[in-house]
Structure formats: C-alpha cells, structure tokens
Amino acid sequence: MQVPTAPAPTPGPDSPKDSPRGSPGLFRRLLVNQSVRLQRRFTVAHPLCFDLDNGLSCRRSALDPQSGPGLGRVVQAPGQYSQRRESFLYRSDSDYELSPKAMSRNSSVASDLHGEDMIVTPFAQVLASLRTVRSNVAVLAHLQGHMAAKQASIGNPPSGSQPPPPTEDTGQKLALETLNELDWCLDQLETLQTRHSVGEMASNKFKRMLNRELTHLSETSRSGNQVSEYISQTFLDQQTEVELPRGTPTEPLRPMSQISSLRVFPHSASLSTATIPRFGVQTDQEGQLAKELEDTNKWGLDVFKVAELSGNRPLTAIIFSIFQERDLLKTFQIPADTLVTYLLTLEGHYHADVAYHNSLHAADVAQSAHVLLATPALEAVFTDLEVLAAIFASAIHDVDHPGVSNQFLINTNSELALMYNDASVLENHHLAVGFKLLQAENCDIFRNLSTKQRLSLRRMVIDMVLATDMSKHMNLLADLKTMVETKKVTNLGVLLLDNYSDRIQVLQNLVHCADLSNPTKPLPLYRQWTDRIMAEFFQQGDRERESGLDISPMCDKHTASVEKSQVGFIDYIAHPLWETWADLVHPDAQDLLDTLEDNREWYQSKIPHSPVDPISPERGGPDRFQFELTLEEAEEEEEEERMLAQEASESPDTELLSAEARPDPRDLCLDNQRTMGKPCVDHEGNVMAEPFGT
C-alpha cells in the first residue's frame, strides 16, 4: 500500500500562512493538509518479517497489505480529551531561545493548550518550519503564474466560482515571511553540535525548562526546596559532591569479577512438570489466587493481594501466568519446571526487608508492561522475542536491590560503585545477577533459543534495564517525544518502527512507564506504593545520618513532605512521560491520564495550607505548581525564633523578651497535640489544626 503524498496546502489570498512557531517560545505547529492537520496520533505500523539485526526482511514494506493483518490502525482525532491539563513541556521556553531572531517573532496561531498539531521538540520544529517554507514557495509560484496569465488575458474577468487570486501585497508579505522562516532554520542548524543527536536537542531544552520550574519551586518553602533537589538529583543526573567520612571498609575483599549476593536455593531441585502448581507456587488458597489473577490483563491488578495469596511469591505467580497467557513456553520451548525454578530463584534474590524495591515492585512492573504491550495501538507490532525480552527485563530490573540509591553507593565507595565505575551502578548489577542466575541448575529458560535469538534477547534486555536508571529519564522522554513528533511531520501520521533503534526506544519507554506507573493506578494501590517508597527513603536517610553523610533529598523523615513529593513527582516526571506515551498510543491511555490527574488532586488536597501564608490567586496561573508552608514548617520556624529569643534573654545584655519571641500557647498546642494524633482546639472549642497524617 502506497502512502499518498499530501499536496501542499494553498492558503487564501488574504490570509498568508503564519509562522509555525508558537508565541511565546519555540512552539511549532505542523502545517500540512487539512486531512492530516488535526491528527495528533499515529498509525503504528510494523513488519512481521522484521529482523533485529537487518531490519526489514522478506523484501516487503512494513505497510504492505500482504505483510499480514493488523499492520496499522485508523488514526483517530482526540475528542473529549483536548482540554486536559498539559505538562510543563508545553509552557514557554522563551527565556532559553536557541536563536536570537526567534525571540522577537510571534505567531498568530499560538494557543494556551497544546493543540492537536503542536510541536515542541527542536528538530521537529525545524522540519515543520521547512514544511511551511515549502508551502509558501508553492503559493508564490502560483502567484507568479497568475500574474503571467493575467498579462495574457487582460480584460477577461475571472469566473464567479473561482476564488480571488493572491494580491501582490500578499505575495510580498509571504516572501518576507518565508525568508524569516529560512533564516530561523539556518540559525538552528548552525547552532547544532555535530556530536549531539536530535534527541539531545530536545533533552537539553526539556532540562532547561525543568530546571527553571524547579528553581521556582525551591524558592517557595523549605519542603519545596527538598522536592526540587530530589527531582534534580534523581531524574536530571545532577550529582552532588559530598565529603566522605573517614573510615576503613568493613567488607572482606573479594575478586572484582565475582558477582556479589548470589545464593543457592534448594526449593526446586526435585521439581518436575507433573508437580508444577497451577501458578508456579505452592498455596492452599489456589482458588482465590486464580480469581485474583483473572485481572492479569487489566491495569491495576492488586499485587499486594496476589502476594498474600501466593505465600509472598507474587513475582513467580504473575510471571508464570503471563508466560502461560502469551503462550511463551510453547513458542520458545521453555520447560515449565525450568521456568518455575528460575522464577523462584530470581524472587529469592529480591530482598524482602527492602520496603519498595522488592519482588512486589518487580511483579507490578512486569504485569504493567504486559498490559502496555497488549494495548490496541501496539497490537501485533512487536515480535514474540521482543515481548519475551520486555517481560524478562521487567522481572529482573531491580533484583538484589539493596534499598539505597546509586548516589548513596557512590558516596560510600561501595564495591558495586567501584565495579561499575559509578555508571548506572544498580542497573548494571541487576542485569549481571539476572543473567547469572540463568546458569544455576535447571534455571536456563532460554536454552532452546538459537544463538542469534539469545544474543538479540540479551541485547534488548540490557538496553531496557539500563534505561530504568532514573537519571536517564529526561533523555528517554526527549528521545521518545522527538521520534513521535518527527514521524508526525515526515510520515503524515504513520509511525513506522522499521529499525532496531526505533523499536527498542519504544520498548525502553514502555518499561520505563511501567516502572513509573504507580501514580496511574487506583488510589488505594498508589497510596500503598507511596508509603513503601517513602519508608525506603527514610531508611536510607537514617543510614546517612548514622554515617555522618549529608541526608539525601526526601530521605529525612523529620522534614520530608510526602504529599508535596507526590504532587511534584507527578507534575514534573510522571505527567510529561505518560502524556507523551498517550500521544503515541492514543486513545488507549486516556483513562490512565485521568487517573493520574485524580491522584494528583487527591495528594494536592492533603497539603495543609499555612495560616501565615494563605494561597494567593495572584501567584502564577492555574498550571503553576504552588507550594505552601505547612503548619509543621511554620512551627519549626517559630521554634527557631523562640530559641534565639531564649538565648538572648540569658545574655547579660538582654533582660526582656519581645512580644514576638514569647512562646504562644497555640504553638505549644500545635506542637504537642498534633504530633500525638489529636486535633488542636482553642479555648472556645474550635479546631485550629488537624493531626498530622489525616
């Protein structure tokens, strides 16, 4: 099937085509023919004969109707979702224009919300601008042809059914506008650094924008500064230098080539195919477990309930069910006893005493990836081997996680940091352990794959697990958005995944989305995940305090604001990522965006407002992420003032306390009763503050 090339659009004579760049900033609008213009999403096409090493095979186009069913889908224009709140990616970047000329140029096609054809990544903006230039040149050529025809037929009035021709003034204006477009494109191309990819252009832009947002956030309050530092250090790959305490390593030295923490489990030595339980785990509640696992193909499976019913083996039960559901055991000739042996061994290497990064999280990510792979937009897009790689990568992506961050391991000169040269320390370790366990007795689930299949699978798994390093988040997001928008401009709404780079990029983002899917789950599940991640953060903070290290952002249990951390995480990390993913698979992820927004509003509503700093409607727009001082922070600051005043009163130079320095009985009430879980009331019985945690 040939994809038709759209003819250049021809604007009316009195309405020359505007610049595709929005106002203010580097926003661009894709200006193609009317049938494509409102199509924000894509037809996702795939080749059934795709070869991981050689690309398309079988001498057949990926859009060939004979390649098989399901190669594409009808592009649907979004309807009721067009007014959803947009992420910060669609805000103005005018403070950081790459081209001085672009700063003074405005377009009449700007919009508060990103329209169905808004372009925000730099490379796609250049392509969109060049499309406008091409269209304008076509109009100018038409004008020249009309003028020549007019000279040849003077005195013959045009037919009433024909539109009036462009005027000379219109042509001159269009020519000047076209020159400005070319100048802007040249400026952009001249500033490109040849060693950087087009994805890095978008990544650098998004990082600048996020840094600006975080700067504003850090100025609002002490907890706002903590959230800002956490996001910056975790998701922007901005490491901080710390002064390490003196000491000698307590761990015994062993060869650097040895993978640490490997253990032997005797549980499956005598397993046979005939004795394999229905879900791979021994449980006396198999019926209830079966009922719970009926939701394996649905978003929001309660993995906590699965863990309870499977004897705390949620990873084994869920992965075994997914393999059966997808018929992967038959496709790749995986013996059932070998799969169960490997899964039990793998799950045994997740630490049960780690609050968040344990086998529960691995099971949740794997099941989420399974659902995302089955989304209608991606139906039959990926090969069985790619699906196997994605599920396997999700299962092993956090194995043997110690419950601390990469930066903690680097700061403490850990053996893992030394082994992996401070680069994606934990992610490299997870990969090493996950693949090393395949060598254990009766654990090689890939033993019947061909050599080429094993190498291809290993390559994909490595790429996907390394992409779960959160410091690579902005690069992943920028690469995906650049690919999506570039395909939008160049392929007229068809996203063709016909090479390894594009296919693994989508798979990397799919696993990354699954890894950051907690805020898109039903609120009761999301709150449990939040409690767990904060508990893990606080445990790391306690270790840092005991070791004399600076406490990492959001890891100090005495000062961290859980609610603000979640609102910030959604606004600056989860929302932009899921918004971009929803663009790719539209309309399949719209309900996830709705849940994400609902969960954000719930946590936002739980942030107590400071009585001394009420919300001001003049501060920022409706999309501005506002942080207010909590009552706890107000108390801390007042406590500091009281301590200073007390020190002053003990000084011989000061005998009297000012009125501001005297302890307020209301403050004592807030400090004592709220921390004990009791509401604070005044002398008339009115509630002045709710207890913490309500």
Side-chain angles (χ1 to χ4, degrees):
M1 179 178 67
Q2 296 294 327
V3 179
T5 302
T10 304
D14 298 323
S15 56
K17 187 175 295 296
D18 293 304
S19 163
R21 288 181 291 288
S23 169
L26 290 178
F27 291 171
R28 300 291 179 271
R29 287 185 176 271
L30 174 62
L31 299 174
V32 295
N33 65 2
Q34 189 65 27
S35 65
V36 176
R37 187 176 175 188
L38 296 181
Q39 297 173 355
R40 178 178 173 186
R41 322 301 179 201
F42 307 96
T43 297
V44 182
H46 79 104
L48 290 182
C49 299
F50 182 81
D51 185 288
L52 285 174
D53 297 324
N54 305 316
L56 279 172
S57 61
C58 303
R59 302 179 180 269
R60 186 170 294 170
S61 166
L63 292 180
D64 192 325
Q66 296 180 358
S67 295
L71 294 182
R73 62 189 178 89
V74 178
V75 179
Q76 302 180 30
Q80 64 271 30
Y81 310 110
S82 59
Q83 297 302 311
R84 184 183 283 109
R85 186 178 65 94
E86 308 295 349
S87 73
F88 74 91
L89 300 182
Y90 292 92
R91 292 178 186 159
S92 170
D93 189 35
S94 57
D95 294 341
Y96 305 101
E97 290 284 358
L98 299 178
S99 166
K101 288 187 178 182
M103 295 181 63
S104 61
R105 304 180 61 200
N106 294 329
S107 169
S108 62
V109 295
S111 173
D112 292 333
L113 294 176
H114 83 271
E116 303 313 318
D117 46 6
M118 183 67 76
I119 303 296
V120 299
T121 52
F123 184 70
Q125 290 171 344
V126 173
L127 292 179
S129 190
L130 289 174
R131 272 190 175 273
T132 300
V133 171
R134 192 264 180 203
S135 179
N136 290 350
V137 170
V139 173
L140 291 173
H142 176 76
L143 175 62
Q144 292 293 331
H146 171 76
M147 296 301 294
K150 183 177 180 180
Q151 294 295 332
S153 58
I154 296 177
N156 295 329
S159 172
S161 61
Q162 295 179 350
T167 64
E168 293 188 20
D169 290 341
T170 299
Q172 184 178 13
K173 182 178 179 180
L174 198 58
L176 292 175
E177 184 177 306
T178 302
L179 285 176
N180 287 335
E181 291 295 327
L182 282 174
D183 287 341
W184 183 86
C185 290
L186 288 173
D187 284 342
Q188 299 302 300
L189 295 175
E190 287 169 1
T191 59
L192 291 183
Q193 297 179 351
T194 55
R195 289 188 61 191
H196 290 182
S197 68
V198 295
E200 285 179 290
M201 295 168 59
S203 177
N204 291 335
K205 174 186 175 181
F206 293 168
K207 287 178 181 178
R208 287 195 307 268
M209 296 175 69
L210 181 55
N211 273 322
R212 181 177 58 181
E213 297 287 332
L214 296 179
T215 298
H216 295 322
L217 174 59
S218 65
E219 295 170 351
T220 58
S221 68
R222 207 176 332 177
S223 61
N225 184 62
Q226 266 203 61
V227 175
S228 174
E229 288 183 358
Y230 164 70
I231 292 175
S232 177
Q233 293 184 22
T234 304
F235 298 96
L236 288 180
D237 200 14
Q238 295 184 356
Q239 300 179 357
T240 56
E241 295 183 359
V242 296
E243 183 176 350
L244 301 178
R246 295 182 179 180
T248 56
T250 57
E251 296 182 4
L253 295 178
R254 56 176 178 266
M256 293 295 292
S257 61
Q258 179 179 341
I259 300 175
S260 61
S261 302
L262 293 182
R263 301 182 294 279
V264 178
F265 294 91
H267 44 236
S268 302
S270 60
L271 271 179
S272 65
T273 305
T275 61
I276 297 297
R278 180 180 175 185
F279 301 108
V281 294
Q282 296 287 353
T283 175
D284 55 359
Q285 304 180 83
E286 191 172 275
Q288 293 176 267
L289 179 60
K291 183 174 180 59
E292 202 66 38
L293 289 176
E294 289 177 358
D295 293 337
T296 299
N297 299 333
K298 299 178 182 178
W299 196 256
L301 171 70
D302 190 346
V303 295
F304 302 103
K305 189 67 173 178
V306 172
E308 178 185 333
L309 298 174
S310 63
N312 289 321
R313 296 291 185 185
L315 181 61
T316 300
I318 288 176
I319 297 296
F320 192 74
S321 297
I322 291 173
F323 271 55
Q324 290 180 315
E325 174 73 22
R326 291 185 170 274
D327 207 20
L328 295 176
L329 289 89
K330 180 179 179 180
T331 301
F332 296 103
Q333 302 177 42
I334 303 173
D337 61 313
T338 302
L339 177 60
V340 171
T341 301
Y342 177 79
L343 291 176
L344 290 172
T345 304
L346 176 69
E347 188 152 21
H349 282 78
Y350 276 92
H351 298 188
D353 58 346
V354 171
Y356 182 86
H357 291 100
N358 50 41
S359 66
L360 267 169
H361 170 65
D364 181 63
V365 173
Q367 190 267 339
S368 299
H370 164 67
V371 176
L372 292 178
L373 284 166
T375 190
L378 299 179
E379 185 179 3
V381 167
F382 295 109
T383 65
D384 290 334
L385 188 66
E386 289 169 325
V387 170
L388 176 66
I391 300 299
F392 180 74
S394 301
I396 72 168
H397 85 281
D398 272 331
V399 63
D400 198 38
H401 197 295
V404 295
S405 65
N406 278 334
Q407 194 60 47
F408 179 90
L409 296 175
I410 295 169
N411 292 345
T412 54
N413 285 324
S414 74
E415 178 186 348
L416 289 178
L418 293 174
M419 179 180 291
Y420 297 114
N421 301 313
D422 297 350
S424 299
V425 177
L426 285 171
E427 290 71 30
N428 276 295
H429 180 61
H430 303 323
L431 282 164
V433 173
F435 278 107
K436 182 67 177 179
L437 292 178
L438 292 171
Q439 300 177 5
E441 182 182 358
N442 196 29
C443 282
D444 188 2
I445 60 177
F446 304 133
R447 66 190 184 199
N448 290 321
L449 270 61
S450 67
T451 300
K452 184 176 181 179
Q453 285 178 319
R454 287 187 72 113
L455 292 175
S456 296
L457 180 138
R458 177 170 166 80
R459 176 187 180 188
M460 290 187 287
V461 171
I462 290 173
D463 286 342
M464 281 184 269
V465 174
L466 289 180
T468 62
D469 182 348
M470 292 302 166
S471 68
K472 307 296 187 271
H473 166 79
M474 291 305 294
N475 294 333
L476 272 177
L477 173 61
D479 286 345
L480 180 65
K481 200 161 191 67
T482 297
M483 183 187 77
V484 165
E485 292 190 343
T486 300
K487 299 292 186 182
K488 182 190 300 184
V489 174
T490 59
N491 284 357
L492 298 180
V494 177
L495 183 61
L496 183 61
L497 303 178
D498 60 352
N499 58 78
Y500 177 80
S501 178
D502 285 351
R503 297 174 76 82
I504 196 61
Q505 188 173 324
V506 173
L507 288 172
Q508 285 175 318
N509 277 277
L510 183 148
V511 174
H512 184 49
C513 283
D515 201 15
L516 295 182
S517 64
N518 295 159
T520 67
K521 300 294 176 65
L523 183 61
L525 298 179
Y526 178 28
R527 292 182 63 187
Q528 291 188 68
W529 291 122
T530 300
D531 291 343
R532 286 174 171 270
I533 191 63
M534 296 308 299
E536 188 171 307
F537 284 172
F538 294 159
Q539 289 173 358
Q540 175 175 321
D542 291 343
R543 293 178 62 178
E544 290 170 329
R545 186 182 293 107
E546 294 170 0
S547 301
L549 296 170
D550 290 338
I551 300 180
S552 300
M554 298 310 304
C555 291
D556 191 338
K557 61 187 177 184
H558 302 299
T559 61
S561 170
V562 176
E563 296 81 10
K564 292 181 181 180
S565 72
Q566 293 309 300
V567 176
F569 172 70
I570 291 175
D571 274 359
Y572 300 123
I573 304 302
H575 185 191
L577 176 65
W578 280 100
E579 178 183 63
T580 304
W581 181 262
D583 281 352
L584 177 70
V585 300
H586 180 83
D588 302 334
Q590 298 304 315
D591 54 341
L592 303 188
L593 288 180
D594 292 337
T595 302
L596 181 69
E597 186 68 13
D598 292 342
N599 288 341
R600 179 201 182 276
E601 293 305 315
W602 188 88
Y603 272 104
Q604 177 72 45
S605 70
K606 297 302 177 182
I607 300 177
H609 297 140
S610 169
V612 297
D613 187 20
I615 295 179
S616 173
E618 291 80 20
R619 291 172 52 193
D623 282 346
R624 173 63 59 190
F625 181 20
Q626 300 287 353
F627 279 99
E628 308 296 337
L629 283 174
T630 63
L631 291 174
E632 181 182 16
E633 291 167 333
E635 293 160 15
E636 291 174 355
E637 294 185 358
E638 292 174 3
E639 179 66 24
E640 291 175 0
E641 293 176 359
R642 288 197 297 270
M643 292 177 63
L644 291 175
Q646 184 177 357
E647 293 175 0
S649 67
E650 296 173 354
S651 171
D653 299 330
T654 306
E655 296 182 358
L656 298 177
L657 288 176
S658 65
E660 292 79 10
R662 295 192 187 103
D664 190 331
R666 291 177 300 175
D667 295 332
L668 296 178
C669 173
L670 289 176
D671 195 25
N672 296 329
Q673 293 188 16
R674 292 189 73 223
T675 54
M676 292 187 295
K678 301 178 180 179
C680 180
V681 298
D682 60 16
H683 65 281
E684 297 178 355
N686 299 318
V687 176
M688 300 187 337
E690 295 292 338
F692 292 131
T694 59

